[in-house]
Amino acid sequence: MNNIPFNFPAYTEMEYEYIKDAFQRGHLSGDGEYTKKCSALLEAYTATSRVLLTTSCTHALEMGALLADIQEGDEVIMPSYTFVSTANAFVLRGAFIKFVDIRPDTMNMDEEQIEQAVTERTRVIVPVHYAGVSCEMDRINELALHYKVMIIEDAAQGISASYKGRALGSIGQLGCFSFHETKNVHCGEGGALLVNNPSLIQNAEIIREKGTDRSRFFRGQVDKYSWVDKGSSYLLSDLNAAFLYSQLENVENIKKRRIELWNTYYHQLLKLAHKELIQLPHVPSECDHNAHMFYIKLKNLEQRVQFINYMKEHNIMSVFHYVPLHTSLAGKKFSRFIGEDRYTTKESERLVRLPLFYNMTNEQQEYIISVIYNYFS
């Protein structure tokens, strides 16, 4: 079997045609025809008041921190088991990060550990929906309302997933998507900010347009545009949006195929789980996941290293995921872990991700599963 990558960017049918059309329209920078089409499609798909395409999920998170008016010394609560951008977006504004432990079943932030981290300086809770499986949002919403803090969802992995029928990213005041090439739906590099609180829309547009009211000008609401507040250039190129539009048109087909691959992994590897040789992912009944990834948990870090090396020897690229942020050099400077680290470090050291991508063949997956069984035999 030829080398099987961990990921291969999804492709559908119309990406090249739409890019060609964008060229012919002559508008290649941000907020062109395809940007508008993608935003409208996402707003309808997620039932969100306003969706603003950005150059990355990192930039969407940074916009969220600006919209939350994060100031020096403010505190933000999130899991340590996440990508660095989740924390960096708020650290850039002067916030101090409070990390809390995760649940071992979903690898999401443990909703029952949040309250102990709340102080009078808490401004935002950031649920990270790991693997496209939702955090326990009812409890998190309850806490946010009680303590009058904002929820900004890191739904980087959450496109086409939901919690009790609500699209991930549409539950908090703000939500953030990633369209990086490793995600289910992508444009090479891109993102989106979902604005679920209508009172934040105008300011979000200003921040995204370099601090100007340019969006209002193009809608004819003002006779000229000027610098009105702080902001930066967060607009996605319309070339990227043209590629993304084809992906969004096929989002359900992409999800369907990924679910098929996810289910095959799950059912084919159940024998190993029943023998307690591995642990399989858990999806709570209230969550509709998107098969963003399939992971298994091994006994410990040492076995994971052995397993990854074995897979590599057989031309299969499997990878581990986040190193908990609180253990990093910057984490020790800008954050503190609240409560006991019962699961974050231990579970992160056991987890390994298997190849899963839209255009993966059944033959490739069968080979991967056979190699896994050979490893354990």
Side-chain angles (χ1 to χ4, degrees), residues 131-133 157-161 184 255 258-259 288-292:
V133 176
Q157 302 171 357
I159 184 76
S160 74
N184 294 26
K255 177 179 178 180
R258 294 183 72 103
I259 289 288
D288 176 33
H289 75 112
N290 61 2
H292 172 64

Side-chain angles (χ1 to χ4, degrees), residues 123-302:
R123 296 292 176 266
V124 179
I125 299 172
V126 187
V128 180
H129 303 301
Y130 186 70
V133 176
S134 177
C135 297
E136 215 303 308
M137 291 306 296
D138 281 352
R139 176 58 174 156
I140 294 172
N141 273 331
E142 179 183 294
L143 290 167
L145 283 169
H146 179 76
Y147 290 104
K148 297 180 174 60
V149 300
M150 197 171 186
I151 293 176
I152 301 178
E153 294 174 75
D154 184 337
Q157 302 171 357
I159 184 76
S160 74
S162 62
Y163 173 79
K164 295 186 176 179
R166 296 182 67 184
L168 300 191
S170 73
I171 303 170
Q173 285 90 343
L174 298 168
C176 305
F177 279 163
S178 171
F179 300 125
H180 186 269
E181 68 172 31
T182 56
K183 302 305 188 290
N184 294 26
V185 168
H186 76 100
C187 58
E189 186 85 59
L193 179 70
L194 283 67
V195 186
N196 307 306
N197 183 342
S199 69
L200 298 174
I201 293 174
Q202 182 172 311
N203 200 22
E205 290 179 340
I206 289 169
I207 289 170
R208 179 171 168 266
E209 281 277 16
K210 310 167 192 69
T212 73
D213 54 356
R214 188 168 179 265
S215 293
R216 297 183 70 211
F217 170 70
F218 280 116
R219 288 196 296 264
Q221 295 170 320
V222 292
D223 59 2
K224 62 184 177 185
Y225 72 88
S226 61
W227 183 21
V228 295
D229 207 338
K230 55 181 175 265
S232 190
S233 183
Y234 293 123
L235 276 69
L236 184 71
S237 158
D238 215 52
L239 281 178
N240 292 73
F243 189 102
L244 179 62
Y245 188 60
S246 179
Q247 298 263 310
L248 291 173
E249 285 184 318
N250 287 280
V251 63
E252 286 300 318
N253 290 333
I254 292 171
K255 177 179 178 180
K256 180 181 177 182
R257 175 57 179 159
R258 294 183 72 103
I259 289 288
E260 288 172 357
L261 292 164
W262 195 98
N263 286 338
T264 296
Y265 270 139
Y266 190 91
H267 294 297
Q268 291 295 319
L269 296 176
L270 264 177
K271 289 181 182 178
L272 297 177
H274 289 155
K275 293 179 181 178
E276 299 185 347
L277 295 172
I278 63 171
Q279 187 175 333
L280 297 175
H282 171 70
V283 180
S285 59
E286 64 271 19
C287 300
D288 176 33
H289 75 112
N290 61 2
H292 172 64
M293 72 173 79
F294 192 92
Y295 62 81
I296 59 174
K297 290 184 186 177
L298 302 172
K299 186 168 58 176
N300 51 35
L301 178 60
E302 182 182 2

Side-chain angles (χ1 to χ4, degrees), residues 28-172:
L28 306 183
S29 58
D31 276 345
E33 182 67 20
Y34 282 98
T35 301
K36 294 179 176 66
K37 286 183 175 183
C38 288
S39 296
L41 200 158
L42 282 166
E43 286 163 6
Y45 189 68
T46 62
T48 300
S49 298
R50 187 78 169 94
V51 172
L52 299 171
L53 295 191
T54 62
T55 48
S56 65
C57 186
T58 299
H59 276 169
L61 286 161
E62 289 179 12
M63 286 182 64
L66 283 162
L67 286 164
D69 195 26
I70 295 297
Q71 303 292 320
E72 190 79 29
D74 287 346
E75 294 176 355
V76 178
I77 300 171
M78 65 181 65
S80 176
Y81 188 68
T82 185
F83 190 59
V84 63
S85 294
T86 315
N88 252 341
F90 300 93
V91 169
L92 281 168
R93 310 308 309 164
F96 188 75
I97 307 300
K98 296 283 194 72
F99 291 126
V100 297
D101 207 7
I102 60 171
R103 292 169 42 161
D105 57 348
T106 61
M107 302 296 288
N108 283 330
M109 178 166 60
D110 186 344
E111 65 279 2
E112 298 305 331
Q113 301 300 315
I114 294 172
E115 195 164 21
Q116 64 178 323
V118 176
T119 71
E120 69 280 358
R121 306 207 72 163
T122 303
R123 296 292 176 266
V124 179
I125 299 172
V126 187
V128 180
H129 303 301
Y130 186 70
V133 176
S134 177
C135 297
E136 215 303 308
M137 291 306 296
D138 281 352
R139 176 58 174 156
I140 294 172
N141 273 331
E142 179 183 294
L143 290 167
L145 283 169
H146 179 76
Y147 290 104
K148 297 180 174 60
V149 300
M150 197 171 186
I151 293 176
I152 301 178
E153 294 174 75
D154 184 337
Q157 302 171 357
I159 184 76
S160 74
S162 62
Y163 173 79
K164 295 186 176 179
R166 296 182 67 184
L168 300 191
S170 73
I171 303 170

Side-chain angles (χ1 to χ4, degrees), residues 307-320:
F307 178 86
I308 290 174
N309 288 337
Y310 183 85
M311 299 293 277
K312 188 175 181 180
E313 289 167 5
H314 291 80
N315 301 321
I316 300 167
M317 180 62 69
S318 58
V319 301
F320 60 85

